Structures are given as structure tokens and as C-alpha cells.
Amino acid sequence: MPIVEYAVGAGTFVAGPAVLAVAERTTNTTLVTGVRKRFAVAAMMSAVTAAASWIGWLRLDATPSWLAWCWVCALGFGLALTDLRCRRLPFPMVTALAGGCAAVFFGVAIVDGAWPRFGFACTSAVVAFGLSSLLQICAPDHTGGGDTALYGALALFVGWFGWDGLLRGLLIASGLTAVVALVVAVSSKSVNCTFAAGPSLLGGVLLSVLMT
């Protein structure tokens, strides 16, 4: 897939400015002020996306899974920045993350007949979203709607790698988030403190895919 590789490589250079603009539009918030600072942040996001895409290519090769990986990285970095800056995970961006992965996997299912694999990924997303919604109902002060939606989107992504990928992904993501929560609680000396869970969830899932 040389053409696809070149297209993805070129896309990483515009990923930073594009995702930053989308994040600000969906939150109606200016995440970064100042021309120089905006340029630096956008350039950094593009560089990190390019680096992550290259790392994923080394692990996954030029496969549909790699395309989904690149998509999750590009939007994931935007979601992480948004969560850190304004403690929000915009539903349109989370939906786009899940939709992009679903489109890639659906295409593979049509071409290669991987319908059981696609069905498992979709079922994983629904179940993860349902369990996260139940947790949100039980502990509304500790879990937000964005986190709930993100769990479902990430379950769709790692569910494509089967039971091992799903369990490893969710366990590492949840474990990393629990560690961050513990550190924040100890540093703030309060068990009721809040923190941005999006970066640790996304980072844990991406790390788990590299371990497959």
C-alpha cells in the first residue's frame, strides 16, 4: 500500500493544525492563545502524530489496523489536549474516533469477509459503553460522559485484535488511569479530586496495541 503510506505520511503534517482547530470548534474554546504558541503546539502535535504513525507502522506494518492506529493517534492527541486544557472529551471527536475505526474495519470485513472480527469489535464497544454508563450512574462525580463514550470507542479499536487485545487494552488503560488517580489524590491530599482521565486511557490503549 505505498500510496496509502505516502498519504498517511502527508496527512500527519496537517494533523496538528486540523485537530487543534476541530477541538476548539467542538468545545467553543480557545485551547491555545498567541500565534507563536499555537504554531508550536500544532507543530508538536503533527510531529508526535508522525512519530506515533511510524512506530505503529513498525509494529503493525501497512495494514488496515495501522490505518486505524493512525486515526486513533491523530484524534487521540487532540482529545488528550482538550481534556487537559478544559476537562472535556467532546462527543463529536469521540464519535469521529469510533466512526473512523468502524469505517476501516467495515471495509476490511467487506473485502476479506472478516465479519466475525468486525462483529466482535462492535459488540465490545457496546458492552464497554454500557458498563461505563453504569459506572457513571453509580459514581457521577468521578466519571464523565466523555470518559464513558471514550471507553466505548477505544473498546471498538482494541476489540478488532480479539479477546487478548480487548482485555489487554482495557486493563492497561484502566490500570494506568487508576495509577494517575492515586498520584493525583496523594498529591492533592483529597480522594474527591478530579483529573483528566482521557490521556491515560488513550495512552494505555495505544501502549497495549504495541504489546500485541
Side-chain angles (χ1 to χ4, degrees), residues 32-97:
V32 183
T33 58
V35 177
R36 292 184 178 180
K37 186 178 292 187
R38 287 183 65 83
F39 178 82
V41 171
M44 181 188 66
M45 290 176 64
S46 292
V48 172
T49 302
S53 298
W54 179 73
I55 292 172
W57 178 77
L58 291 177
R59 184 65 184 87
L60 302 171
D61 205 353
T63 61
S65 298
W66 176 64
L67 293 180
W69 162 276
C70 293
W71 182 252
V72 171
C73 287
L75 284 180
F77 295 141
L79 283 166
L81 175 64
T82 305
D83 203 12
L84 289 170
R85 293 289 293 174
C86 57
R87 300 293 178 86
R88 289 181 58 188
L89 291 170
F91 284 106
M93 291 185 67
V94 176
T95 301
L97 188 149

